[in-house]
Amino acid sequence: MHLNQTIKLSDNVFAQLVDDEMVLLDMASENYFGLDETGSAIWQQLSKTGSLQATYDALIEEYEIQPAQLEADIFAFVQTLVDAGLVEV
């Protein structure tokens, strides 16, 4: 995976912020996923831009985190979403 890739969110995913936690519902499988603060921030940026680079750029400005760690976190999170069928790279 590379930062120059884009993400397409599945049309079957409904996202809602509930008590400071982002909840994703895959309407096709009826599975839901609760995201922590980091996952919520990544999801919100991806849903705005669809761009891994734009997501990285926004989050590196917002959080005090090592660049390599942020990149690894984004890639791991996106891979989890891909595996669950919630996004396509």
Side-chain angles (χ1 to χ4, degrees):
M1 195 171 300
H2 302 281
L3 286 176
N4 63 350
Q5 291 178 293
T6 58
I7 302 299
K8 180 183 182 302
L9 305 179
S10 170
D11 293 334
N12 294 325
V13 177
F14 175 75
Q16 181 70 40
L17 192 61
V18 178
D19 296 329
D20 298 328
E21 179 182 82
M22 182 67 67
V23 176
L24 306 179
L25 172 62
D26 180 357
M27 303 206 338
S29 68
E30 298 183 359
N31 290 327
Y32 72 93
F33 307 84
L35 306 181
D36 62 13
E37 180 182 347
T38 303
S40 295
I42 296 170
W43 177 266
Q44 289 173 335
Q45 288 301 319
L46 286 174
S47 66
K48 287 179 191 175
T49 67
S51 164
L52 292 178
Q53 184 67 58
T55 297
Y56 173 88
D57 293 343
L59 296 178
I60 200 73
E61 292 293 322
E62 187 174 343
Y63 295 97
E64 290 186 24
I65 187 169
Q66 293 296 317
Q69 183 61 56
L70 177 58
E71 187 174 319
D73 289 349
I74 290 171
F75 292 163
F77 180 73
V78 169
Q79 188 60 56
T80 300
L81 295 175
V82 168
D83 293 346
L86 303 177
V87 301
E88 294 178 10
V89 179

